[in-house]
Amino acid sequence: MSLLQDLIDINLSDSTEKIIAEYIWIGGSGMDLRSKARTLSKVESDPQKLPKWNYDGSSTDQAPGDDSEVILYPQAVFKDPFRRGNNILVMCDAYTPGGVPIPTNKRFNAATIFSHPEVATEEPWYGIEQEYTLLQKDLHWPLGWPVGGFPGPQGPYYCGIGADKAFGRQIVDSHYKACLYAGINISGINGEVMPGQWEFQVGPAVGISAGDELWVARYILERITELAGVVLSFDPKPIPGDWNGAGAHTNYSTKSMRNEGGIDVIKKAIEKLGLRHKEHISAYGEGNDRRLTGRHETADINTFSWGVANRGASIRVGRDTEQAGKGYFEDRRPASNMDPYVVTSMIAETTLLWKP
């Protein structure tokens, strides 16, 4: 095994200018990340200069078998924390051979919205709080929970420490450092209310980069859980009953919101979000109805509400924003399995482009 590890740890730059590029894309379910690697002749950090590639879309439920070729367009480049050296991770989106985005390519529409002059001028910032649950591989039961049983009630686990309260910290810390190494703007981590559940935050990130960074952060996390022999779940309510669900609270601001008098802009944006509540809920993740019950720090899925420092509301405005009269707000509705391309662009579209 030591020889195997030595081979894994080979520094290619000692012997060649060639690098390994791991191309990443989203599969047919909208949540299954796929990747494969190719050799490039030299270091390249500009995604527009990287070669397009193809894959078998019939094996990812994205194309029929008799016309299965799907083309990958490189969109964002990150350092590879697994191979290290000059090797890279490449976030891609997917197109037909004719250059048409395939139906599961949500990035294309998001990029169109973020490139709109009225949106680009406002420089939308996002901070996404990604919650997730670690599961025991053979049981699909939360890490640290007794087999066939339950731990003590919620209370001591949120930001808790100790072997009886924090389960999977090595995975969490490994992910934190790997994201920083990769160049992802990960801003923090914490243990969550349900034992075996954790959160990391990505941001602030501007426009389309928020989606790119969150997807690659998810990819790195699942690669680490693969190494650890643990299953990663983004189910918004992994355990029924009196246990917190998992969300992806999305913090948002525009230049006008961050400037003096921004609180009035924030209130107008929240009003518009309320008018499109049903449309947003339908795009905020599968199974969110099991999470948004009005309990466990959520608002009821059928009712739109907002408040200052209210974690039981659809939209929360922080005390610091209220006091400063400018800042940002938090959309607490998105589920942990939401697509960040969809959610971030939809918030921008509703608040900046939509005319009620």
Side-chain angles (χ1 to χ4, degrees), residues 77-319:
V77 175
F78 301 87
K79 293 170 65 178
D80 186 340
F82 302 103
R83 296 189 177 101
R84 303 184 192 178
N86 292 322
N87 303 300
I88 56 176
L89 302 176
V90 184
M91 189 65 206
C92 305
D93 59 354
Y95 297 79
T96 68
V100 178
I102 64 173
T104 54
N105 180 353
K106 306 303 182 185
R107 190 187 190 280
F108 179 83
N109 183 61
T112 301
I113 291 170
F114 285 122
S115 63
H116 191 288
E118 292 181 42
V119 176
T121 300
E122 282 288 344
E123 296 178 9
W125 291 4
Y126 297 91
I128 302 174
E129 306 170 30
Q130 176 68 72
E131 295 178 339
Y132 60 92
T133 309
L134 299 174
L135 304 177
Q136 301 169 55
K137 181 181 176 183
D138 297 326
L139 303 172
H140 279 241
W141 195 239
L143 199 65
W145 288 35
V147 176
F150 296 87
Q154 295 183 154
Y157 310 108
Y158 172 70
C159 297
I161 62 169
D164 58 342
K165 294 182 279 295
F167 311 117
R169 190 183 296 277
Q170 286 184 318
I171 292 171
V172 176
D173 278 349
S174 298
H175 175 247
Y176 196 173
K177 291 182 177 180
C179 284
L180 287 171
Y181 177 92
I184 292 167
N185 193 24
I186 185 170
S187 48
I189 54 99
N190 61 268
E192 268 304 329
V193 177
M194 190 184 86
Q197 191 178 86
W198 295 81
E199 173 184 301
F200 66 89
Q201 302 96 32
V202 168
V206 181
I208 197 69
S209 64
D212 291 335
E213 292 190 26
L214 189 74
W215 273 116
V216 176
R218 285 174 170 177
Y219 172 84
I220 291 172
L221 179 57
E222 191 152 17
R223 285 282 305 274
I224 291 171
T225 58
E226 172 190 325
L227 293 170
V230 171
V231 174
L232 172 64
S233 173
F234 291 113
D235 190 307
K237 186 72 173 178
I239 304 296
D242 196 15
W243 303 98
N244 274 38
H249 303 155
T250 302
N251 299 275
Y252 171 69
S253 72
T254 63
K255 186 186 293 184
S256 297
M257 294 175 190
R258 298 187 293 269
N259 289 340
E260 293 301 321
I263 192 68
D264 293 328
V265 182
I266 287 172
K267 289 177 180 178
K268 289 175 183 176
I270 292 173
E271 182 181 357
K272 293 172 85 174
L273 287 169
L275 293 174
R276 295 191 76 198
H277 177 64
K278 289 184 178 180
E279 291 90 335
H280 278 255
I281 286 295
S282 68
Y284 274 16
E286 294 293 325
N288 213 7
D289 57 304
R290 293 182 284 117
R291 168 181 161 263
L292 296 180
T293 61
R295 300 182 63 220
H296 304 110
E297 300 180 76
T298 70
D300 183 87
I301 194 169
N302 298 309
T303 305
F304 181 85
S305 61
W306 76 276
V308 176
N310 184 357
R311 283 179 162 78
S314 308
I315 304 289
R316 180 182 69 88
V317 174
R319 289 284 182 205

